[in-house]
Amino acid sequence: MTAIGIDAGSTTTKIVVVDPDARIRWHRLEPTEPLLEEQTDRLLEAARAEAGDGTAPVIATGYGRNLVRAADRKVPEITCHA
């Protein structure tokens, strides 16, 4: 299963698509915009198009993780570091 991870940070927003073998298939890094909800929606749309899988689970972390509307799971940064 392909998965999408997004780190909605206070200064940059990062997104990555990984395949079932944990290989990175697509990624993008952008400065975080004031309207983070719209930015993450746009990035997720691009990621899903690249992944070719509209059902890939989305995991969000970072300062703005609670603003990622499409996230299936929201994980605090401390948990991700562990």
Coordinates of all heavy atoms in Angstrom, one line a residue:
M1 N 0.8 -1.2 0.0 CA 0.0 0.0 0.0 C 0.9 1.2 0.0 O 1.9 1.3 0.7 CB -0.9 0.0 1.3 CG -1.7 1.3 1.4 SD -2.5 1.5 3.0 CE -3.7 0.2 3.0
T2 N 0.5 2.2 -0.8 CA 1.2 3.5 -0.8 C 0.7 4.3 0.4 O -0.4 4.1 0.8 CB 0.9 4.2 -2.1 OG1 1.3 3.4 -3.2 CG2 1.5 5.6 -2.2
A3 N 1.6 5.1 0.9 CA 1.2 6.0 2.0 C 1.7 7.4 1.7 O 2.7 7.6 1.0 CB 1.7 5.5 3.3
I4 N 1.0 8.4 2.3 CA 1.4 9.8 2.2 C 1.7 10.4 3.6 O 0.8 10.2 4.5 CB 0.3 10.6 1.5 CG1 0.0 10.0 0.1 CG2 0.7 12.1 1.4 CD1 -1.2 10.6 -0.6
G5 N 2.8 11.0 3.7 CA 3.1 11.7 5.0 C 3.3 13.2 4.8 O 3.8 13.6 3.7
I6 N 2.7 14.0 5.7 CA 2.9 15.4 5.5 C 3.3 16.0 6.9 O 2.7 15.6 7.9 CB 1.6 16.0 5.0 CG1 1.7 17.5 4.8 CG2 0.4 15.8 5.9 CD1 0.7 18.1 3.9
D7 N 4.3 16.8 6.8 CA 4.8 17.5 8.0 C 4.5 19.0 7.8 O 5.1 19.7 7.1 CB 6.3 17.3 8.2 CG 6.9 18.0 9.4 OD1 6.1 18.8 10.1 OD2 8.1 17.9 9.6
A8 N 3.4 19.4 8.5 CA 2.9 20.8 8.4 C 3.6 21.6 9.5 O 3.1 21.8 10.6 CB 1.4 20.9 8.5
G9 N 4.8 22.1 9.2 CA 5.6 22.8 10.2 C 5.3 24.3 10.2 O 4.6 24.8 9.4
S10 N 5.9 25.0 11.2 CA 5.6 26.4 11.3 C 6.3 27.2 10.2 O 5.8 28.3 9.9 CB 6.0 26.9 12.7 OG 7.4 26.7 12.9
T11 N 7.4 26.7 9.6 CA 8.1 27.5 8.6 C 8.1 26.8 7.3 O 8.1 27.4 6.2 CB 9.6 27.8 9.0 OG1 10.2 26.6 9.3 CG2 9.6 28.7 10.2
T12 N 8.1 25.4 7.3 CA 8.1 24.7 6.0 C 7.1 23.6 6.1 O 6.8 23.0 7.2 CB 9.4 24.1 5.6 OG1 9.9 23.2 6.6 CG2 10.5 25.2 5.3
T13 N 6.5 23.2 5.0 CA 5.6 22.1 4.9 C 6.2 21.1 3.9 O 6.6 21.4 2.8 CB 4.2 22.5 4.4 OG1 3.7 23.4 5.3 CG2 3.2 21.4 4.2
K14 N 6.3 19.8 4.4 CA 6.9 18.8 3.6 C 5.9 17.7 3.4 O 5.1 17.4 4.3 CB 8.1 18.2 4.3 CG 9.4 19.0 4.5 CD 9.3 20.1 5.5 CE 9.3 19.6 6.9 NZ 9.1 20.7 7.9
I15 N 6.0 17.1 2.2 CA 5.1 15.9 1.9 C 5.8 14.9 1.1 O 6.7 15.2 0.3 CB 3.8 16.4 1.1 CG1 2.8 15.3 1.0 CG2 4.2 17.1 -0.2 CD1 1.4 15.8 0.5
V16 N 5.5 13.6 1.4 CA 6.2 12.5 0.8 C 5.2 11.4 0.5 O 4.3 11.2 1.2 CB 7.4 12.0 1.6 CG1 6.9 11.4 2.9 CG2 8.3 11.0 0.9
V17 N 5.4 10.7 -0.7 CA 4.7 9.5 -1.0 C 5.7 8.4 -1.0 O 6.7 8.4 -1.6 CB 4.1 9.6 -2.4 CG1 3.4 8.3 -2.8 CG2 3.1 10.8 -2.5
V18 N 5.3 7.3 -0.2 CA 6.2 6.1 -0.2 C 5.4 4.9 -0.7 O 4.2 4.8 -0.5 CB 6.7 5.9 1.3 CG1 7.6 7.0 1.7 CG2 5.6 5.7 2.2
D19 N 6.1 4.0 -1.4 CA 5.5 2.8 -1.9 C 5.5 1.7 -0.8 O 6.1 1.9 0.2 CB 6.2 2.4 -3.2 CG 7.6 1.9 -3.1 OD1 8.0 1.6 -2.0 OD2 8.2 1.8 -4.1
P20 N 5.0 0.6 -1.2 CA 4.9 -0.5 -0.2 C 6.3 -1.0 0.3 O 6.4 -1.6 1.3 CB 4.2 -1.6 -1.0 CG 3.4 -0.9 -1.9 CD 4.2 0.3 -2.4
D21 N 7.4 -0.7 -0.5 CA 8.7 -1.1 -0.1 C 9.4 0.0 0.6 O 10.7 0.0 0.7 CB 9.5 -1.6 -1.4 CG 8.9 -2.8 -2.0 OD1 8.5 -3.7 -1.3 OD2 8.8 -2.8 -3.2
A22 N 8.7 1.0 1.0 CA 9.2 2.2 1.8 C 10.2 3.0 0.9 O 11.0 3.7 1.5 CB 9.9 1.8 3.1
R23 N 10.0 3.0 -0.4 CA 10.8 3.8 -1.3 C 10.1 5.1 -1.5 O 8.9 5.1 -1.8 CB 11.1 3.1 -2.6 CG 12.0 1.9 -2.5 CD 12.3 1.3 -3.8 NE 11.0 0.9 -4.3 CZ 10.8 -0.3 -5.0 NH1 11.9 -1.0 -5.3 NH2 9.6 -0.7 -5.4
I24 N 10.8 6.2 -1.5 CA 10.2 7.5 -1.8 C 9.9 7.6 -3.3 O 10.8 7.5 -4.1 CB 11.1 8.7 -1.4 CG1 11.3 8.6 0.2 CG2 10.6 10.0 -1.8 CD1 12.3 9.6 0.7
R25 N 8.6 7.9 -3.6 CA 8.2 8.0 -5.0 C 7.9 9.4 -5.4 O 7.9 9.7 -6.6 CB 6.9 7.2 -5.2 CG 7.1 5.7 -5.1 CD 8.1 5.3 -6.1 NE 8.4 3.9 -6.0 CZ 9.4 3.3 -6.7 NH1 10.1 4.0 -7.5 NH2 9.6 2.1 -6.6
W26 N 7.7 10.3 -4.4 CA 7.5 11.7 -4.8 C 7.6 12.5 -3.5 O 7.3 12.0 -2.4 CB 6.1 11.9 -5.3 CG 5.6 13.2 -5.7 CD1 5.9 13.8 -7.0 CD2 4.9 14.2 -5.0 NE1 5.3 15.1 -7.0 CE2 4.7 15.3 -5.8 CE3 4.4 14.2 -3.7 CZ2 4.0 16.4 -5.4 CZ3 3.7 15.3 -3.3 CH2 3.6 16.4 -4.1
H27 N 8.1 13.7 -3.6 CA 8.2 14.6 -2.4 C 8.2 16.1 -2.8 O 8.5 16.4 -4.0 CB 9.4 14.3 -1.6 CG 10.7 14.6 -2.3 ND1 11.3 15.8 -2.2 CD2 11.4 13.8 -3.1 CE1 12.4 15.8 -3.0 NE2 12.5 14.6 -3.5
R28 N 7.8 16.9 -1.9 CA 7.9 18.3 -2.1 C 8.1 19.0 -0.8 O 7.6 18.6 0.2 CB 6.6 18.8 -2.8 CG 6.6 20.2 -3.2 CD 5.5 20.6 -4.2 NE 5.6 19.8 -5.4 CZ 4.7 19.7 -6.3 NH1 3.5 20.2 -6.1 NH2 4.9 19.0 -7.4
L29 N 8.8 20.2 -0.8 CA 9.0 21.0 0.3 C 8.7 22.4 -0.1 O 9.1 22.9 -1.1 CB 10.5 20.9 0.8 CG 10.8 21.8 1.9 CD1 11.7 21.0 2.9 CD2 11.6 23.0 1.4
E30 N 7.9 23.1 0.7 CA 7.5 24.5 0.4 C 7.5 25.3 1.7 O 7.3 24.8 2.8 CB 6.0 24.6 -0.1 CG 5.8 23.9 -1.4 CD 4.4 24.1 -1.9 OE1 3.5 24.6 -1.2 OE2 4.1 23.6 -3.0
P31 N 7.7 26.6 1.6 CA 7.5 27.5 2.8 C 6.0 27.3 3.2 O 5.1 27.3 2.4 CB 7.8 28.9 2.3 CG 8.6 28.7 1.1 CD 8.1 27.4 0.5
T32 N 5.8 27.3 4.5 CA 4.4 27.2 5.0 C 3.7 28.5 4.7 O 4.2 29.6 4.9 CB 4.3 26.9 6.5 OG1 4.9 25.6 6.7 CG2 2.9 26.9 7.1
E33 N 2.5 28.4 4.1 CA 1.7 29.5 3.7 C 0.7 29.9 4.9 O 0.4 29.1 5.7 CB 0.9 29.2 2.5 CG 1.8 28.9 1.3 CD 1.0 28.4 0.1 OE1 -0.2 28.4 0.1 OE2 1.7 28.1 -0.9
P34 N 0.2 31.1 4.9 CA -0.7 31.6 6.0 C -2.0 30.7 6.0 O -2.5 30.5 7.0 CB -1.0 33.0 5.6 CG 0.2 33.5 4.8 CD 0.6 32.3 4.1
L35 N -2.5 30.3 4.8 CA -3.7 29.5 4.7 C -3.2 28.0 4.6 O -3.4 27.4 3.5 CB -4.6 29.9 3.6 CG -5.1 31.4 3.7 CD1 -5.8 31.8 2.4 CD2 -5.9 31.6 4.9
L36 N -2.8 27.4 5.7 CA -2.2 26.1 5.7 C -3.2 25.0 5.2 O -2.8 24.1 4.6 CB -1.7 25.8 7.1 CG -1.0 24.4 7.2 CD1 0.2 24.4 6.3 CD2 -0.5 24.2 8.6
E37 N -4.5 25.2 5.6 CA -5.5 24.2 5.1 C -5.5 24.1 3.6 O -5.5 23.0 3.1 CB -6.9 24.5 5.7 CG -7.0 24.5 7.2 CD -6.9 25.8 7.8 OE1 -6.2 26.7 7.2 OE2 -7.4 26.0 8.9
E38 N -5.5 25.2 2.9 CA -5.6 25.2 1.5 C -4.3 24.7 0.9 O -4.3 24.0 -0.1 CB -5.9 26.6 0.9 CG -7.3 27.0 1.1 CD -7.6 27.5 2.5 OE1 -6.7 27.7 3.4 OE2 -8.8 27.7 2.8
Q39 N -3.2 25.0 1.5 CA -1.9 24.5 1.0 C -1.8 23.0 1.1 O -1.4 22.4 0.2 CB -0.7 25.2 1.8 CG 0.6 24.7 1.3 CD 1.8 25.3 2.2 OE1 1.6 25.8 3.3 NE2 3.0 25.3 1.6
T40 N -2.2 22.5 2.3 CA -2.1 21.0 2.4 C -3.1 20.3 1.5 O -2.8 19.2 1.0 CB -2.3 20.6 3.9 OG1 -3.5 21.0 4.4 CG2 -1.1 21.1 4.7
D41 N -4.3 20.9 1.3 CA -5.2 20.3 0.4 C -4.6 20.2 -1.0 O -4.7 19.2 -1.7 CB -6.5 21.1 0.3 CG -7.4 21.0 1.5 OD1 -7.2 20.0 2.3 OD2 -8.3 21.8 1.6
R42 N -4.0 21.3 -1.5 CA -3.3 21.4 -2.8 C -2.2 20.3 -2.9 O -2.1 19.6 -3.9 CB -2.8 22.8 -3.1 CG -2.0 22.9 -4.4 CD -1.6 24.4 -4.6 NE -0.9 25.0 -3.4 CZ 0.4 24.7 -3.1 NH1 1.1 23.8 -3.8 NH2 0.9 25.3 -2.1
L43 N -1.3 20.3 -1.9 CA -0.2 19.3 -1.9 C -0.7 17.9 -1.9 O -0.2 17.0 -2.6 CB 0.7 19.6 -0.7 CG 1.6 20.8 -0.8 CD1 2.2 21.1 0.5 CD2 2.6 20.7 -1.9
L44 N -1.8 17.6 -1.1 CA -2.3 16.2 -1.1 C -2.9 15.8 -2.4 O -2.8 14.7 -2.8 CB -3.3 16.1 0.1 CG -2.7 16.0 1.5 CD1 -3.7 16.2 2.5 CD2 -1.9 14.7 1.6
E45 N -3.6 16.8 -3.1 CA -4.1 16.5 -4.4 C -3.0 16.1 -5.4 O -3.1 15.2 -6.1 CB -4.9 17.7 -4.9 CG -5.6 17.5 -6.2 CD -6.4 18.7 -6.7 OE1 -6.9 19.4 -5.8 OE2 -6.5 18.9 -7.9
A46 N -1.9 16.9 -5.3 CA -0.8 16.6 -6.2 C -0.1 15.2 -5.8 O 0.2 14.5 -6.7 CB 0.3 17.7 -6.1
A47 N 0.0 14.9 -4.5 CA 0.6 13.7 -4.1 C -0.3 12.5 -4.5 O 0.2 11.5 -5.0 CB 0.7 13.7 -2.6
R48 N -1.6 12.6 -4.4 CA -2.5 11.5 -4.8 C -2.4 11.3 -6.3 O -2.5 10.2 -6.7 CB -3.9 11.8 -4.3 CG -4.0 11.6 -2.8 CD -5.5 11.7 -2.4 NE -5.6 11.3 -1.0 CZ -6.2 12.0 -0.1 NH1 -6.6 13.2 -0.3 NH2 -6.2 11.6 1.2
A49 N -2.3 12.4 -7.0 CA -2.2 12.2 -8.5 C -0.9 11.5 -8.8 O -0.9 10.6 -9.7 CB -2.3 13.6 -9.1
E50 N 0.1 11.9 -8.2 CA 1.4 11.2 -8.4 C 1.4 9.8 -8.0 O 2.0 8.9 -8.7 CB 2.5 12.0 -7.7 CG 3.9 11.4 -8.0 CD 4.4 11.6 -9.4 OE1 3.9 12.6 -10.1 OE2 5.2 10.8 -9.9
A51 N 0.8 9.5 -6.9 CA 0.7 8.1 -6.3 C -0.2 7.3 -7.1 O -0.1 6.0 -7.2 CB 0.3 8.1 -4.9
G52 N -1.2 7.9 -7.8 CA -2.2 7.1 -8.6 C -3.1 6.3 -7.7 O -3.7 5.3 -8.1
D53 N -3.2 6.8 -6.4 CA -4.0 6.0 -5.5 C -4.7 7.0 -4.6 O -4.2 7.6 -3.7 CB -3.1 5.2 -4.6 CG -3.9 4.3 -3.6 OD1 -5.1 4.4 -3.5 OD2 -3.2 3.5 -2.9
G54 N -6.0 7.2 -4.9 CA -6.8 8.2 -4.1 C -7.2 7.7 -2.7 O -7.8 8.4 -1.9
T55 N -6.8 6.4 -2.4 CA -7.2 5.8 -1.1 C -6.0 5.7 -0.2 O -6.1 5.2 0.9 CB -7.8 4.5 -1.3 OG1 -6.9 3.6 -1.8 CG2 -9.1 4.5 -2.1
A56 N -4.8 6.2 -0.6 CA -3.6 6.1 0.2 C -3.8 6.8 1.6 O -4.3 7.9 1.6 CB -2.4 6.7 -0.5
P57 N -3.5 6.1 2.7 CA -3.6 6.8 4.0 C -2.7 8.0 4.1 O -1.6 8.0 3.5 CB -3.3 5.7 5.0 CG -2.4 4.8 4.2 CD -2.9 4.8 2.8
V58 N -3.2 9.0 4.8 CA -2.4 10.3 5.0 C -2.1 10.4 6.5 O -3.1 10.4 7.3 CB -3.3 11.5 4.5 CG1 -2.5 12.8 4.8 CG2 -3.6 11.3 3.0
I59 N -0.9 10.5 6.8 CA -0.4 10.7 8.2 C 0.2 12.1 8.3 O 1.0 12.5 7.5 CB 0.7 9.7 8.6 CG1 0.3 8.3 8.2 CG2 1.0 9.9 10.1 CD1 -1.0 7.8 8.8
A60 N -0.3 12.9 9.2 CA 0.1 14.3 9.4 C 0.9 14.5 10.7 O 0.5 13.9 11.7 CB -1.1 15.2 9.3
T61 N 1.9 15.3 10.7 CA 2.6 15.7 11.9 C 3.0 17.2 11.7 O 2.7 17.8 10.7 CB 3.9 14.8 12.1 OG1 4.4 15.0 13.4 CG2 4.9 15.1 11.1
G62 N 3.6 17.7 12.8 CA 4.1 19.1 12.7 C 3.1 20.0 13.4 O 2.0 19.6 13.9
Y63 N 3.6 21.2 13.5 CA 2.9 22.3 14.2 C 1.4 22.4 13.7 O 0.5 22.6 14.5 CB 3.6 23.6 14.1 CG 3.0 24.8 14.7 CD1 3.2 25.0 16.1 CD2 2.3 25.7 14.0 CE1 2.6 26.1 16.7 CE2 1.7 26.8 14.6 CZ 1.9 27.0 16.0 OH 1.3 28.1 16.6
G64 N 1.2 22.3 12.4 CA -0.1 22.5 11.8 C -0.8 21.2 11.5 O -1.8 21.2 10.7
R65 N -0.4 20.1 12.2 CA -1.0 18.8 11.8 C -2.5 18.8 12.0 O -3.2 18.1 11.2 CB -0.4 17.7 12.7 CG -0.7 17.7 14.1 CD 0.0 16.6 14.9 NE -0.2 16.8 16.3 CZ 0.4 17.7 17.1 NH1 1.4 18.4 16.6 NH2 0.1 17.7 18.4
N66 N -3.1 19.5 12.9 CA -4.5 19.5 13.2 C -5.3 20.3 12.1 O -6.5 20.2 12.0 CB -4.9 20.1 14.5 CG -4.4 19.1 15.6 OD1 -4.5 17.9 15.5 ND2 -3.9 19.6 16.7
L67 N -4.5 21.0 11.2 CA -5.2 21.7 10.1 C -5.2 20.9 8.8 O -5.7 21.4 7.8 CB -4.4 23.1 9.9 CG -4.5 24.0 11.1 CD1 -3.6 25.2 10.8 CD2 -5.9 24.4 11.5
V68 N -4.6 19.7 8.8 CA -4.6 18.9 7.6 C -5.9 18.1 7.6 O -6.1 17.1 8.3 CB -3.4 17.9 7.6 CG1 -3.4 17.0 6.4 CG2 -2.1 18.7 7.8
R69 N -6.9 18.6 6.9 CA -8.2 18.1 6.9 C -8.3 16.7 6.5 O -9.2 15.9 7.0 CB -9.1 19.0 6.1 CG -9.3 20.4 6.6 CD -10.2 21.2 5.7 NE -9.5 21.8 4.6 CZ -9.7 23.1 4.2 NH1 -10.6 23.8 4.8 NH2 -9.0 23.6 3.2
A70 N -7.5 16.3 5.5 CA -7.6 14.9 4.9 C -6.8 13.9 5.7 O -6.8 12.7 5.3 CB -7.2 14.9 3.5
A71 N -6.2 14.2 6.8 CA -5.4 13.3 7.5 C -6.2 12.1 8.1 O -7.2 12.4 8.8 CB -4.6 14.0 8.6
D72 N -5.7 10.9 7.9 CA -6.3 9.8 8.5 C -5.8 9.6 10.0 O -6.5 9.0 10.8 CB -6.0 8.5 7.7 CG -6.6 8.6 6.3 OD1 -7.8 8.7 6.2 OD2 -5.8 8.5 5.4
R73 N -4.6 10.1 10.2 CA -4.0 10.0 11.5 C -3.2 11.3 11.7 O -2.5 11.7 10.8 CB -3.2 8.8 11.6 CG -2.6 8.5 13.0 CD -2.0 7.2 13.1 NE -1.4 7.0 14.4 CZ -0.4 6.3 14.7 NH1 0.1 5.5 13.8 NH2 0.1 6.2 15.9
K74 N -3.2 11.8 12.9 CA -2.4 13.0 13.3 C -1.4 12.6 14.4 O -1.9 12.2 15.5 CB -3.3 14.2 13.7 CG -4.1 14.6 12.5 CD -5.2 15.6 12.9 CE -6.0 15.9 11.6 NZ -7.1 16.8 11.9
V75 N -0.1 12.7 14.2 CA 0.9 12.2 15.2 C 1.7 13.4 15.6 O 2.3 14.1 14.8 CB 1.7 11.1 14.5 CG1 2.7 10.6 15.5 CG2 0.9 10.0 13.9
P76 N 1.9 13.6 16.9 CA 2.8 14.6 17.4 C 4.2 14.4 17.0 O 4.7 13.3 16.8 CB 2.6 14.6 19.0 CG 1.4 13.8 19.2 CD 1.2 12.9 18.0
E77 N 5.0 15.5 16.9 CA 6.4 15.4 16.5 C 7.2 14.5 17.4 O 8.1 13.7 17.0 CB 7.0 16.8 16.4 CG 6.4 17.8 15.5 CD 5.3 18.6 16.2 OE1 4.6 18.1 17.0 OE2 5.3 19.8 15.9
I78 N 6.9 14.6 18.7 CA 7.7 13.8 19.7 C 7.5 12.3 19.4 O 8.5 11.5 19.4 CB 7.2 14.1 21.1 CG1 7.5 15.6 21.4 CG2 7.9 13.2 22.1 CD1 8.9 16.0 21.3
T79 N 6.3 11.9 19.1 CA 6.1 10.5 18.7 C 6.8 10.1 17.5 O 7.4 9.0 17.4 CB 4.5 10.2 18.6 OG1 3.9 10.6 19.8 CG2 4.3 8.8 18.3
C80 N 6.8 11.0 16.5 CA 7.5 10.7 15.2 C 9.0 10.5 15.5 O 9.7 9.6 14.9 CB 7.3 11.8 14.2 SG 5.6 11.8 13.6
H81 N 9.6 11.3 16.4 CA 11.0 11.2 16.7 C 11.4 9.9 17.4 O 12.4 9.4 17.2 CB 11.5 12.4 17.5 CG 11.5 13.7 16.7 ND1 12.5 14.0 15.8 CD2 10.7 14.8 16.8 CE1 12.3 15.2 15.3 NE2 11.2 15.7 15.8
A82 N 10.4 9.5 18.2 CA 10.7 8.2 18.9 C 10.7 7.1 18.0 O 11.4 6.1 18.1 CB 9.6 8.0 20.0

